[in-house]
């Protein structure tokens, strides 16, 4: 098959939220893009779904936020709780109303975001998406990259000026770039159970974190298919027990009753289990190949910073890559992307998500009491609560990245 002009497009690997938003951003700047996705269609699994104010702001100019707002839940208040004693602190994002037009967390399933991004992308004649096309490997030279992909018709070569790997935590692009992914995997696993039973009348905010040295939890109310939506409850569970046993109806019932006892059984309409990692790629760029989203970093979901951080990568990268593509900036501008987003990951996302997990699972009664007391005091003081919210809503990580040249 003849190779196309390498200077004519950017190849984005992966049609997850990060790949699609990167591609949409590039297309909005007039850059021809080709997105390849190895699945035959967009994936529909229930994963992330809690969006922070800066993410809503960044997706605005791309046309996503306006459409997204119509289908999700605004969550202005969220709690940190103790499983035995109840609410420790309730945080009100209204304290940030002077610095963001979106003073709330926004809850909507990840699989409802990607069709919006894809629909908007398809409105650009210079954007193309190919499903059932899996990235295998790539070589690069002075002018571009040549990627080998698998398609239902066999192997194919694709030529592009730049390649963005947004192909998730197990990124084949990252492996091809030969980039290390240092970090660790948590010993416990995370089990998520989704119930239609409404937890709101029991005092739970649509987002809540519940400390417990034996089994901490986190709660996210999602719009799902109809009100009151789906209350997704995440539990940390012991890795020594088999997956089948952990996911059994009786075990999930026991976990749910442990969270909130009720005479009836819970109606569980969704369940899943996964391992959680804390890892950041050593670099997000090797020549003409770049990484973004889970391909570049992974973290535990406590604080909802994984997907948000990935979208922040996409929105930092696309204007820079568009400028380089059009010859308006030197390629070294892409190293600024790496410096900014790597620092945001290390100094904020990894640090805060790890601290959140430690807070919820702390076993030492003295340390536990001290930490929860500090949370209580922070929640009770509007000035401290505001500072805390600026950090936990990822505004501080964006501000910090902006200071990096
Ligand atoms: C099982 C699971 C549960 C999660 N639950 C939560 C949660 O509850 N809360 C939370 O905050 N975060 C959660 N996350 C994390 C969150 O979903 C991710 O941060 C987010 O999906 C990252 O988006 P992404 O676009 O970078 O990667 P992904 O969404 O993983 O998208 C990558 C895309 O690349 C495609 N792809 C992969 N390899 C190739 C290839 N070789 N060629 C072409 N295409 C390829 C994939 O099919 C996929 O469509 C979860 C992640 C997983 C894996």
């Amino acid at each position: 098959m003849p190779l196309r002009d390498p200077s004519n497009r950017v190849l984005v690997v992966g049609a997850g939220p990060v790949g699609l938003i990167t591609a949409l951003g590039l297309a909005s700047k007039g850059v021809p893009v080709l997105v390849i996705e190895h699945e035959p269609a967009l994936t529909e699994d229930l994963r992330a779904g809690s969006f922070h104010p800066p993410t809503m702001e960044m997706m605005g100019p791309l046309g996503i936020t306006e459409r997204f707002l119509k289908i999700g839940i605004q969550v202005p208040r969220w709690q940190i709780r103790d499983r035995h004693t109840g609410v420790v602190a309730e945080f009100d994002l209204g304290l940030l109303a002077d610095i963001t037009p979106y003073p709330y967390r926004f809850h909507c399933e990840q699989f409802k975001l990607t069709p919006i991004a894809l629909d908007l992308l398809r409105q650009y004649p210079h954007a193309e998406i190919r499903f059932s096309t899996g990235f295998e490997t790539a070589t690069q030279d002075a002018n571009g990259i040549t990627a080998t992909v698998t398609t239902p018709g066999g192997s194919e070569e694709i030529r592009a000026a730049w390649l963005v790997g947004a192909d998730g935590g197990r990124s084949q692009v990252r492996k091809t770039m030969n980039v290390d992914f240092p970090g660790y995997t948590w010993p416990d696993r995370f089990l998520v159970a989704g119930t239609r039973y409404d937890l709101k009348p029991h005092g739970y905010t649509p987002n809540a974190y519940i400390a417990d040295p034996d089994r901490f939890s986190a709660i996210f109310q999602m719009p799902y298919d109809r009100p009151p939506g789906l209350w997704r409850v995440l539990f940390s569970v012991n890795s020594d027990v088999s997956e089948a046993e952990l996911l059994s109806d009786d075990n999930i019932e026991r976990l749910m009753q442990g969270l909130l006892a009720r005479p009836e059984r819970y109606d569980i309409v969704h369940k899943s289990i996964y391992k959680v990692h804390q890892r950041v790629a050593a670099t997000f760029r090797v020549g003409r190949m770049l990484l973004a989203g889970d391909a570049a970093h992974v973290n535990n979901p406590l604080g909802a910073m994984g997907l948000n951080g990935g979208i922040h990568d996409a929105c930092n990268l696309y204007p820079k890559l568009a400028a380089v593509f059009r010859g308006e900036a030197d390629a070294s501008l892409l190293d600024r992307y790496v410096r900014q987003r790597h620092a945001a990951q290390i100094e904020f996302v990894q640090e805060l998500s790890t601290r959140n997990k430690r807070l919820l699972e702390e076993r030492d009664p003295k340390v536990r009491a001290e930490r929860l007391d500090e949370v209580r005091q922070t929640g009770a003081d509007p000035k401290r609560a505001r500072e805390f919210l600026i950090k936990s809503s990822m505004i501080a990580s964006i501000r910090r990245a902006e200071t990096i040249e």
Side-chain angles (χ1 to χ4, degrees):
M1 190 173 213
L3 300 183
R4 286 168 62 170
D5 176 1
S7 63
N8 73 352
R9 63 182 162 186
V10 173
L11 175 64
V12 176
V13 180
V18 176
L20 288 172
I21 291 174
T22 306
L24 178 60
L26 288 166
S28 75
K29 298 260 177 206
V31 177
V33 281
L34 167 62
V35 181
I36 58 167
E37 165 58 51
H38 73 173
E39 295 295 334
L42 295 179
T43 51
E44 278 218 3
D45 46 348
L46 280 167
R47 291 200 196 172
S50 185
F51 295 83
H52 290 295
T55 314
M56 301 300 282
E57 288 178 41
M58 286 177 200
M59 297 192 299
L62 297 174
I64 297 175
T65 304
E66 190 190 346
R67 288 172 62 172
F68 207 33
L69 278 171
K70 294 183 183 139
I71 56 170
I73 303 172
Q74 294 181 14
V75 182
R77 300 172 80 87
W78 61 275
Q79 299 166 337
I80 295 180
R81 304 173 65 109
D82 177 292
R83 185 153 80 98
H84 301 288
T85 60
V87 179
V88 177
E90 187 164 304
F91 294 96
D92 181 357
L93 280 145
L95 289 171
L96 305 185
D98 59 327
I99 54 171
T100 175
Y102 308 101
Y104 43 80
R105 283 192 179 190
F106 185 72
H107 282 195
C108 192
E109 293 88 353
Q110 179 173 327
F111 71 79
K112 293 179 186 164
L113 170 67
T114 46
I116 295 176
L118 179 60
D119 186 47
L120 290 164
L121 184 64
R122 282 190 161 137
Q123 291 172 16
Y124 290 98
H126 49 279
E128 191 188 342
I129 174 143
R130 284 197 217 163
F131 287 100
S132 303
T133 304
F135 173 89
E136 290 289 320
T137 188
T139 56
Q140 45 178 323
D141 52 55
N143 299 318
I145 61 100
T146 306
T148 306
V149 301
T150 47
T151 73
S155 189
E156 216 182 284
E157 286 192 334
I158 292 177
R159 194 76 180 141
W162 296 90
L163 183 153
V164 179
D167 52 339
R170 293 187 184 147
S171 175
Q172 181 60 23
V173 173
R174 189 184 63 238
K175 288 171 194 156
T176 301
M177 289 161 71
N178 209 10
V179 167
D180 279 349
F181 203 33
Y184 58 92
T185 301
W186 291 99
D188 46 345
R189 274 176 292 174
F190 282 26
L191 185 152
V192 183
T195 178
R196 290 191 191 282
Y197 184 69
D198 195 357
L199 301 180
K200 209 175 197 168
H202 298 278
Y204 288 88
T205 42
N207 180 211
Y209 297 93
I210 300 132
D212 180 352
D214 297 323
R215 190 193 316 118
F216 68 82
S217 318
I219 289 176
F220 301 87
Q221 184 192 14
M222 290 293 151
Y224 208 50
D225 56 353
R226 58 184 148 91
L230 193 68
W231 287 78
R232 296 187 74 206
V233 187
L234 179 155
F235 299 96
S236 81
V237 290
N238 186 342
S239 278
D240 300 334
V241 181
S242 78
E243 229 168 72
E245 204 175 316
L246 288 168
L247 285 171
S248 68
D249 291 350
D250 284 349
N251 186 51
I252 291 180
E253 181 63 21
R254 194 177 55 79
L255 292 171
M256 292 297 298
Q257 292 288 348
L259 179 83
L260 177 65
R262 64 191 284 252
E264 305 85 10
R265 276 182 84 87
Y266 279 89
D267 166 32
I268 301 297
V269 296
H270 166 263
K271 55 189 177 182
S272 62
I273 189 163
Y274 57 96
K275 279 193 180 161
V276 181
H277 318 270
Q278 300 285 154
R279 294 180 190 277
V280 182
T283 181
F284 301 172
R285 178 185 176 211
V286 174
R288 291 176 171 271
M289 299 174 73
L290 296 136
L291 296 173
D294 274 20
H297 43 75
V298 285
N299 57 271
N300 76 63
L302 302 168
M305 288 178 273
L307 175 55
N308 284 273
I311 295 174
H312 300 177
D313 292 348
C315 294
N316 182 304
L317 178 58
Y318 80 74
K320 293 185 173 73
L321 185 52
V324 172
F325 183 91
R326 291 195 305 244
E328 295 160 10
D330 187 83
S332 64
L333 182 62
L334 300 171
D335 293 328
R336 186 168 182 227
Y337 157 73
V338 180
R339 287 192 294 275
Q340 291 182 322
R341 295 306 308 154
H342 195 271
Q345 267 302 313
I346 299 289
E347 294 174 24
F348 288 87
V349 175
Q350 297 295 322
E351 181 11 63
L352 290 177
S353 58
T354 306
R355 204 194 303 164
N356 288 344
K357 187 168 184 292
R358 299 269 186 238
L359 169 77
L360 298 181
E361 70 189 3
E362 181 55 53
R363 299 193 80 86
D364 181 322
K366 191 167 166 276
V367 179
R368 178 182 155 74
E370 278 168 12
R371 289 193 184 157
L372 289 178
D373 204 44
E374 178 154 359
V375 169
R376 193 172 289 112
Q377 286 175 27
T378 303
D381 175 349
K383 198 158 166 262
R384 281 177 68 180
R386 180 179 157 97
E387 286 312 307
F388 172 79
L389 285 168
I390 285 173
K391 262 193 169 183
S392 57
S393 299
M394 301 182 83
I395 295 169
S397 73
I398 304 290
R399 287 180 177 171
R400 162 73 180 127
E402 278 166 4
T403 66
I404 297 173
E405 280 309 313

